[in-house]
Amino acid sequence: MNPNIPRTDRKRVVIVGAGFGGLKLARKLARRKEFQVVLINKNNFHEFQPLYYQVATSGLEASSILFPLRAVFQDCKNVHIRVTTVTAVHPETKSIDTDLGPIEYDYLVVSTGADTNFFGMQNIIERALPMKSVSEAIALRNRMLQNFEDALSVDNLDEKEGFLNVVVVGGGPTGVELCGTFAEMRKTVLPSDYPELDFRMMKIYLIESGGELLGPMSENSQVKSQQYLEKLGVIVRLKTRVQDFDGRLVYMADGSTIRTNNLVWAAGVKANPLSGFPTETIGRGGRLLVDRFSQVQGFPDIFAVGDIALMTEEKYPNGHPQIAQPAIQQGKHLAKNLIRMQKGQSPEEFTYKDLGTMATIGRGKAVVDLPFWKFQGVFAWMVWLFVHLMAIVGVKNRLLILINWAWNYLSDDQSLRLIIKPKLPKGNFEAIKQKVEDQLITK
């Protein structure tokens, strides 16, 4: 295998990761004559992470929040996209190792984002349902819909409870939005789909170890979001820490348990820096330590943006929040600095502009914190819809999402409740089966 990237006299900028930060940077450099851009990503598409929960709850089809990378850069001959995984960085030779082979760089930008943080709890790693990729969102949708099918076929009350109940861990936007949507489905859609099931049995729990929901938001938004959820029938448990999960019971640190087969983990994230960086460059949460120019500590030609980057400012001594806006702003700012550097000019320091935070809690309910105004309710929900719609990549995707949202609002019926299971070729299945058997024998 060979990456087959032609060498030119342009400065080669290798960007690892096509999330919000990496994609913004690549788009800003795509038509600059002084750069050759190499964009490396595990998938051939960009994912709009804030709407994962709508895929998981059948509100949107996965294709609505994905956009092919090659469609973004169709007319950009100096952009080279490679779908592969980066395995190591070699700063001394200015190269990276990938599954396709080595790739040299003049400037390297790491924008690999963050993954779910299970805090080392092995049983939860093996049994919980995370929400950090579109494939995980589809897996959650499949699991929940299959549970309702399975609940029809059991008479035992305990088993039925296990299929219907859902526990969401983490009181951030993902947890709050998931619980709100599950509660709306329990009220409007599911009783029509499954008239043989009594959805008064279905309990939705939101577990948060802190003393409030939506920690970074204003007190009004925290209180209002909890009120909205409780009005929808969600059981909110604050100052409660999940300790274990055996597939049937969720165990709390206070000794209490909850019966469910479904534990959704949205309790935290951790960065995954590439192999090859010295330990002194890695800070809290696995994030790469960068200065105000996004340069990784000790490496003038390596940069990091987004969730993977730990950049401190006076207002953000622990780094910027791991959300879309810091990544987008850092990607845009780094593009300007790379251009300045090529012109022989000094780079400028980055300053994060907080544009606000928002979360939706079911239909017609949201909380919005803007720097100059904090509000909740129906208008907040409309603002949330508009902001997220405009942030989607691609006119077609925006149109599809708008149609879906309008239909859902008018009809209470998403019509996307499909259980789609991947089917492996028989040879693949046999190979996987043999591998599992070999591991069991070894143990």
Side-chain angles (χ1 to χ4, degrees):
M1 299 288 282
N2 192 317
N4 285 331
I5 301 168
R7 245 312 179 185
T8 68
D9 57 355
R10 299 176 177 184
K11 289 287 186 181
R12 179 181 287 180
V13 181
V14 175
I15 304 169
V16 182
F20 288 110
L23 184 64
K24 174 61 75 173
L25 172 62
R27 292 178 82 170
K28 288 292 180 182
L29 298 181
R31 300 187 187 280
R32 301 292 305 194
K33 294 180 180 179
E34 58 266 54
F35 296 109
Q36 180 191 54
V37 178
V38 178
L39 181 58
I40 300 173
N41 201 49
K42 289 186 291 185
N43 302 304
N44 72 336
F45 50 80
H46 166 76
E47 306 179 43
F48 191 76
Q49 298 180 14
L51 294 182
Y52 282 160
Y53 83 96
Q54 292 208 7
V55 174
T57 54
S58 305
L60 292 174
E61 195 50 81
S63 58
S64 299
I65 67 165
L66 307 177
F67 199 81
L69 294 176
R70 296 192 180 279
V72 179
F73 301 102
Q74 276 180 342
D75 302 322
C76 305
K77 293 182 179 179
N78 63 322
V79 177
H80 303 270
I81 297 167
R82 294 295 181 267
V83 178
T84 186
T85 300
V86 177
T87 54
V89 178
H90 301 289
E92 66 282 358
T93 59
K94 298 188 70 169
S95 67
I96 58 173
D97 290 339
T98 76
D99 289 345
L100 296 177
I103 298 175
E104 295 178 339
Y105 63 83
D106 292 303
Y107 298 113
L108 174 66
V109 183
V110 183
S111 56
T112 48
D115 206 351
T116 305
N117 190 353
F118 294 101
F119 303 100
M121 294 184 279
Q122 193 59 37
N123 285 339
I124 291 175
I125 292 171
E126 293 173 3
R127 299 186 175 98
L129 297 158
M131 271 278 292
K132 286 300 291 179
S133 71
V134 74
S135 58
E136 290 172 348
I138 293 171
L140 176 56
R141 182 183 75 182
N142 286 346
R143 165 72 80 84
M144 294 305 299
L145 294 176
Q146 187 62 54
N147 280 347
F148 302 139
E149 301 294 339
D150 293 342
L152 292 168
S153 306
V154 296
D155 297 319
N156 183 290
L157 188 62
D158 179 72
E159 285 186 63
K160 192 162 287 196
E161 232 179 14
F163 285 126
L164 294 179
N165 290 350
V166 58
V167 175
V168 179
V169 183
T174 299
V176 167
E177 289 168 347
L178 262 179
C179 286
T181 310
F182 278 140
E184 290 277 6
M185 289 178 68
R186 178 181 61 181
K187 178 183 175 183
T188 59
V189 176
L190 296 177
S192 300
D193 275 8
Y194 302 93
E196 299 160 81
L197 291 176
D198 181 4
F199 281 94
R200 290 174 297 182
M201 288 178 57
M202 181 182 178
K203 293 184 174 63
I204 302 165
Y205 296 85
L206 179 56
I207 311 297
E208 166 58 37
S209 61
E212 66 284 316
L213 301 179
L214 301 175
M217 296 190 74
S218 66
E219 187 177 346
N220 281 346
S221 293
Q222 292 169 353
V223 171
K224 204 67 178 177
S225 62
Q226 185 172 345
Q227 289 175 354
Y228 284 149
L229 287 172
E230 289 176 342
K231 192 173 181 180
L232 286 168
V234 176
I235 301 166
V236 179
R237 294 181 61 175
L238 303 176
K239 297 181 180 178
T240 305
R241 189 176 294 276
V242 171
Q243 208 165 42
D244 203 358
F245 177 53
D246 62 7
R248 296 185 73 259
L249 290 171
V250 181
Y251 296 87
M252 313 297 174
D254 62 9
S256 62
T257 59
I258 298 174
R259 175 70 177 100
T260 184
N261 298 349
N262 316 295
L263 180 69
V264 183
W265 195 263
V269 296
K270 65 175 180 179
N272 295 311
L274 301 175
S275 174
F277 287 105
T279 54
E280 58 267 24
T281 64
I282 299 171
R284 182 181 178 186
R287 300 167 82 177
L288 288 170
L289 297 171
V290 301
D291 59 20
R292 296 282 293 278
F293 309 108
S294 295
Q295 285 181 332
V296 175
Q297 186 174 288
F299 299 97
D301 49 9
I302 302 179
F303 304 83
V305 297
D307 290 354
I308 189 73
L310 181 57
M311 180 192 295
T312 60
E313 295 184 45
E314 187 177 346
K315 285 180 66 178
Y316 303 94
N318 296 318
H320 300 116
Q322 289 170 288
I323 56 177
Q325 268 304 313
I328 292 169
Q329 292 180 31
Q330 286 173 3
K332 184 177 180 181
H333 186 266
L334 179 55
K336 288 181 179 178
N337 272 346
L338 289 174
I339 294 167
R340 288 179 65 87
M341 289 162 64
Q342 282 304 105
K343 293 178 178 178
Q345 300 171 353
S346 299
E348 296 177 344
E349 287 192 340
F350 174 81
T351 300
Y352 175 52
K353 296 176 184 175
D354 184 4
L355 301 181
T357 313
M358 54 187 70
T360 181
I361 308 102
R363 187 172 61 173
K365 305 177 188 71
V367 292
V368 174
D369 285 0
L370 300 179
F372 52 88
W373 187 23
K374 296 171 177 57
F375 53 102
Q376 303 86 33
V378 176
F379 181 64
W381 179 68
M382 293 172 68
V383 170
W384 183 94
L385 292 176
F386 176 78
V387 168
H388 283 74
L389 193 63
M390 289 301 100
I392 289 285
V393 177
V395 176
K396 179 184 173 184
N397 284 24
R398 288 177 192 164
L399 185 59
L400 287 172
I401 289 173
L402 180 61
I403 292 169
N404 263 298
W405 282 349
W407 182 264
N408 295 348
Y409 182 76
L410 295 171
S411 70
D412 279 334
D413 186 0
Q414 293 100 324
S415 72
L416 296 173
R417 295 179 296 282
L418 308 173
I419 303 171
I420 301 173
K421 299 176 181 176
K423 185 176 181 181
L424 294 171
K426 189 175 180 182
N428 286 11
F429 176 77
E430 294 299 331
I432 292 169
K433 183 181 175 184
Q434 186 61 51
K435 186 177 180 181
V436 172
E437 288 174 354
D438 290 345
Q439 288 175 342
L440 290 173
I441 292 168
T442 304
K443 289 179 180 179

